[in-house]
Amino acid sequence: MSGPVLKVQEPICSGRIIGVRGPVVDVRFERVSDIPALYVVLECTAIDKRRVILQVAEHLGKCDVRCISLSDTLNLQLNSVAINTRKPVNIRVGEDLFGRIINVFGEPIDSQGPLTSTEFKVIRRPPREETFNIKSKFAEKPEVMETGIKFIDLLFPLVKGSKTGVLGGAGCGKSVVILELINNIVKKHSGCCVFTGIGERIREGNDLFYELRENNLLPKVKLVFGQMNEPPGARFECVNTGITLAEDLAEKNKDVLLFMDNVFRFVQGGQEISTLLGRVPGESGYQPTLASEVNSVEERIRSIPGGGSITSYQAVYVPADDMTDPAVVALFSCLDTVLTLSRDLAQRGFFPAIDALSSSSSFLDPRIIGQGHYDVTQKLISLFAKYNSLRRIVQVVGLEEIPKEDQVDYKRGEKLLNFMTQPFVVGEAFTGKKGEFVATEDAVHDCEAIIAGVFDKLTSEQFYLIGSAPR
C-alpha cells in the first residue's frame, strides 16, 4: 500500500547583504543557481524585527544582485540574511478589498484587520494579447458615461474604456475633480472604483478615506497607496498594484473606474530609481527608459473583449506649469482626453478650472455624442476663443469702447464661463452650496440658450456656481 504523495518544495536559498545605500541594497549569493530572476522579491529582517522587502533590479555579475527596497531600509544590517522567495510581488484580489486601504504589497494599512481573500495575482504583467485585436476594439460604438459635471459632459465626454488626464500645477484642483467624479459615478452608475494614490501626502490619503466614508462610497472603492514618505520603489510599483486590482475586476465582467493621483509621481519614482542604479539620464534629466515605463503601464489600461472595461482618470502634476516637460509629454501621448487646468481661472475662483481652449478630446465627435450636442460645443469653443481675445482689450479700453456685436459676444462668453462653474458635493464645506448633478441634456440646452441670447437680460454673476440655468 503506497503512502500519501508528498509535495516536494524547492529548498529555501538565501544570500547576504553586502551593501546598503539608502533604498539600494546589494545581496551576494553563494551559488549561481541561487541567483534570483529580475523583479523577484527578497525578504530580510531589520534589527528591530521589521520585515524589509527588496525587489531585484540588476545582476551585477558573479553571484551579486542589486535590489531596490520597497520598504524603509532603516536599521537594515550589513551581512544579514536575504531570503529568495522565488516569486515577484503578488497581491490579494477579491471582494473583501472594497473599502480597504492596501500598500504596494497588498497588505492592509488601515488597522481594520487582516484580509481573508485567498486569490493572488502578480502585479507586473504584460498587456493581454486579445486587447490588441483591432476588430474587437472597434466593433462597438463607444459608450459615453454621464458624469454630472457640466464642463466634462459638454466638451470632454467620458467614454467607457478611455484614458483621461487631468493636467495642472499644484493647487489647481486636480484632486477635487477626481473626488467629484468618484462620487457621481458610484452613485449614478453603481460603478466600482480603484483609487491609486501615488506619492501623495499622508494627510490627503487620510482625508480621502474619511470623505469617502462620510459619503457612503467606501463599499464601492478599493484604495492603494504608495505615499510620499515611502521609498521610490513603492511609489513606482503601486501603479502596477492599482492596475492589477482594476484588471481583476474587469476580468470579472465589471466596468471599473481607475483613478490615479498623481501619475507624475510614478515617473518621478522611476527617475529616482534610475539615478540610484547609476544609469545615465537623458538630456532632459529624466531616466532613459521614460517612454517604455510609461507605455508599459498605460497599455494595460483598456477594455477587455468579452469582459468589462477599465476607464482611467489620471491626475498629472505639471512641474512649474511647463506643458513641454518630457514627463508630461510622455504621459500626454497615451491619453484620449486631456483636461488642462488653468491657474489663472483657479485664482479667479472658477472651479472646475478647466481651460477649454488648451484641453482636447478625441471623443468630441458627432458620431459619438450626436450632431446637436456637437454643434453646441463648436459654438461654445468659438465663443470662448472670442471672449479670451476681447478680454485683454476690455481690460485696457473698457467694455463700452468696443463694437456692439463684440459687446454682446463678450457678455455671453462671460456668462458661459461662469455657467461652467459648478457646486461640487466634495466642495460643499468650502462653497457653502449644495453639490449638484447636472444631466448632459440640460447642460446642452442651457448653453444653447445662453449662446442664442435667451438670458441676455441676466447678469453674468447669476450664472456663477449654479447647476442648471435660472428658469
Side-chain angles (χ1 to χ4, degrees):
M1 186 175 177
S2 60
V5 178
L6 298 176
K7 186 178 179 181
V8 179
Q9 293 185 345
E10 294 182 2
I12 296 174
C13 60
S14 59
R16 295 279 176 180
I17 293 175
I18 58 171
V20 181
R21 295 181 302 284
V24 177
V25 180
D26 292 343
V27 181
R28 176 167 293 164
F29 290 84
E30 291 183 4
R31 296 170 299 182
V32 174
S33 59
D34 292 341
I35 297 175
L38 289 178
Y39 302 114
V40 161
V41 166
L42 307 182
E43 289 188 7
C44 44
T45 306
I47 296 174
D48 54 5
K49 307 300 180 185
R50 183 174 46 81
R51 188 170 68 126
V52 179
I53 304 294
L54 309 177
Q55 188 181 55
V56 178
E58 285 182 355
H59 291 156
L60 299 177
K62 294 185 180 179
C63 296
D64 296 349
V65 295
R66 180 156 290 166
C67 307
I68 290 292
S69 176
L70 303 182
S71 313
D72 194 353
T73 53
L74 181 68
N75 291 329
L76 193 60
Q77 195 173 24
L78 193 67
N79 209 38
S80 57
V81 176
I83 298 171
N84 179 6
T85 66
R86 301 182 187 274
K87 295 178 182 178
V89 177
N90 287 267
I91 61 163
R92 292 179 190 269
V93 294
E95 296 294 315
D96 64 330
L97 269 77
F98 280 112
R100 301 298 301 273
I101 305 175
I102 62 171
N103 60 14
V104 65
F105 323 116
E107 298 171 343
I109 53 173
D110 53 5
S111 304
Q112 303 291 316
L115 298 170
T116 57
S117 175
T118 55
E119 188 182 354
F120 287 82
K121 285 196 174 176
V122 177
I123 65 169
R124 274 184 173 266
R125 294 194 292 173
R128 295 168 60 97
E129 288 183 10
E130 59 265 34
T131 58
F132 296 105
N133 186 333
I134 296 176
K135 289 182 180 178
S136 65
K137 185 178 179 183
F138 295 102
E140 299 177 2
K141 180 184 176 182
E143 184 180 341
V144 178
M145 299 175 70
E146 191 175 58
T147 66
I149 301 175
K150 290 178 290 189
F151 222 141
I152 292 174
D153 288 336
L154 277 166
L155 294 172
F156 315 102
L158 178 63
V159 170
K160 193 178 287 186
S162 65
K163 294 190 280 282
T164 301
V166 185
L167 279 65
C172 289
K174 299 182 296 297
S175 300
V176 173
V177 172
I178 283 182
L179 280 173
E180 185 70 8
L181 279 165
I182 293 176
N183 178 77
N184 291 0
I185 295 297
V186 167
K187 289 183 177 177
K188 179 73 175 178
H189 298 281
S190 301
C192 54
C193 301
V194 175
F195 184 93
T196 310
I198 311 160
E200 292 299 291
R201 300 169 186 85
I202 295 174
R203 172 186 57 77
E204 291 178 340
N206 189 65
D207 292 348
L208 171 67
F209 177 80
Y210 286 106
E211 202 159 328
L212 291 173
R213 193 166 73 174
E214 286 172 13
N215 289 291
N216 298 316
L217 300 174
L218 264 184
K220 288 290 185 180
V221 183
K222 296 182 180 183
L223 298 108
V224 182
F225 281 98
Q227 292 170 310
M228 191 177 278
N229 64 313
E230 296 188 54
R235 284 181 271 128
F236 184 77
E237 289 292 353
C238 77
V239 176
N240 289 313
T241 301
I243 293 174
T244 302
L245 291 179
E247 282 179 337
D248 174 64
L249 291 168
E251 286 165 5
K252 293 172 181 172
N253 258 348
K254 293 185 179 179
D255 293 319
V256 191
L257 274 166
L258 172 64
F259 294 93
M260 297 197 287
D261 186 12
N262 187 301
V263 77
F264 175 80
R265 306 293 180 195
F266 157 74
V267 174
Q268 207 171 39
Q271 181 187 20
E272 290 178 43
I273 290 171
S274 180
T275 304
L276 290 165
L277 294 175
R279 294 173 185 158
V280 179
E283 290 182 5
S284 59
Y286 286 99
Q287 61 270 41
T289 53
L290 172 64
S292 61
E293 285 175 2
V294 168
N295 286 294
S296 66
V297 164
E298 295 287 355
E299 285 303 309
R300 292 176 64 186
I301 304 170
R302 51 177 61 235
S303 296
I304 295 174
S309 65
I310 303 175
T311 307
S312 167
Y313 247 84
Q314 309 171 23
V316 183
Y317 166 70
V318 180
D321 292 343
D322 179 16
M323 290 296 177
T324 63
D325 186 89
V328 176
V329 172
L331 292 163
F332 184 89
S333 63
C334 300
L335 303 172
D336 300 305
T337 301
V338 176
L339 302 181
T340 305
L341 301 184
S342 163
R343 186 173 300 281
D344 176 56
L345 289 173
Q347 289 174 343
R348 288 160 58 195
F350 291 92
F351 290 101
I354 300 171
D355 185 347
L357 302 178
S358 300
S359 306
S360 63
S361 173
S362 57
F363 302 117
L364 200 61
D365 188 304
R367 293 170 295 180
I368 297 173
I369 60 175
Q371 190 65 50
H373 183 169
Y374 178 77
D375 291 341
V376 171
T377 61
Q378 298 311 297
K379 293 175 186 175
L380 191 63
I381 292 169
S382 175
L383 202 54
F384 275 145
K386 189 167 185 180
Y387 169 78
N388 277 1
S389 63
L390 289 172
R391 183 167 172 261
R392 296 176 184 176
I393 300 169
V394 169
Q395 286 176 332
V396 176
V397 301
L399 182 61
E400 301 301 324
E401 299 299 320
I402 62 175
K404 292 291 183 184
E405 287 183 7
D406 288 345
Q407 286 184 32
V408 171
D409 287 342
Y410 179 84
K411 288 177 180 177
R412 289 176 185 173
E414 193 171 37
K415 287 186 181 75
L416 279 171
L417 190 63
N418 281 325
F419 180 64
M420 287 299 145
T421 61
Q422 186 172 339
F424 285 169
V425 172
V426 297
E428 288 177 0
F430 304 101
T431 62
K433 294 187 177 183
K434 186 175 175 59
E436 291 192 39
F437 185 102
V438 181
T440 306
E441 287 183 12
D442 294 341
V444 171
H445 178 268
D446 290 342
C447 283
E448 199 169 16
I450 294 170
I451 293 167
V454 174
F455 300 109
D456 279 358
K457 292 183 180 179
L458 299 180
T459 62
S460 58
E461 287 75 16
Q462 290 175 270
F463 291 85
Y464 179 70
L465 277 185
I466 62 171
S468 298
R471 300 299 181 201

